[in-house]
Amino acid sequence: MEEALGMGLFAPHIVAAGLLAVFVIAFSKGAFGGGLAVVGIPILALVMDPVDAALVLAPLLFAMDLVTLRVYPPRTWSVPDAAWIASGVVCGMLVGAWLFAGLPREVTGALIGAALLLFSLRQLVLRPRPGTPLGVSPWRGFVWGSVGGLTTFLANSGQPPVAIYLTRRSLPKTIYAGTMSAVFTLANFTRLPLMAGLAFARPSLLLYSAVLLPAIPFGTWAGKALHDRIDRDRLFFLVYVLILLAGLKVLGSSLGLIP
């Protein structure tokens, strides 16, 4: 069965779906520091089991982060923001592990998805005037980082909650993207051992992941080219659209409407 499944993974349409998913995620990391990882599993779920899709993407997400760090090196990070957010992300991932084990995932996912939807719709529909830009806020960074860690573990969509905080910081667009990249490199590295341990039991999935690696540099550099060509307001508008899509995905998955 495993052998048959392994051979089936390399059918042209399955490889094409994987390359598309990886390119789209890498593109978003190059353009925004992250944001579209949430769409990777639904794309792959068209051709494989969603759990297998998550295992396929786990090592690839960390590989993408390593490439993205070349695009957004430490000089592009807001280190105080990254430190507080990252500490929250680690805390949120631990809470996510506990929720995953003991509480209905559908309930927590529905609440998170609804919150993301409400925020994104407020920004896109009402278009509120920008308030006074926030300074570095340890408690806000930690809280939104915690929510991001929770959604990273439960729904592979940690960037949108963190974006809610970082967009209020009114950072230059490259500092915004670099800080987001730094935070989620740590997040993906933290959960890599767990996901890799599961994937090693399915060597065919690891081989399939390796086949998809070439899409990463192409997607990352294409995203960076977009980043360099659009202004900050348009970049943040696209970020709000991504938060909307993430909210729809998390809510829809929790309600059983989409994979």
Side-chain angles (χ1 to χ4, degrees), residues 92-102 150 153-154:
M93 291 177 69
L94 293 174
V95 173
W98 174 70
L99 290 175
F100 189 81
L150 179 64
F153 194 92
L154 295 177

Side-chain angles (χ1 to χ4, degrees), residues 31-59:
F32 317 114
L36 282 177
V38 69
V39 307
I41 292 178
I43 292 174
L44 282 174
L46 296 173
V47 295
M48 68 175 61
D49 180 81
V51 175
D52 288 348
L55 295 177
V56 165
L57 288 177

Side-chain angles (χ1 to χ4, degrees), residues 76-99:
T76 67
W77 305 350
S78 172
V79 174
D81 286 312
W84 285 108
I85 295 168
S87 61
V89 166
V90 172
C91 179
M93 291 177 69
L94 293 174
V95 173
W98 174 70
L99 290 175

Side-chain angles (χ1 to χ4, degrees), residues 8 33 40 50 90 92 133 137 155 161 179 200 202-203 240 252:
V90 172
S137 175
T179 304
F200 274 120
R202 305 284 303 280
Y240 296 139

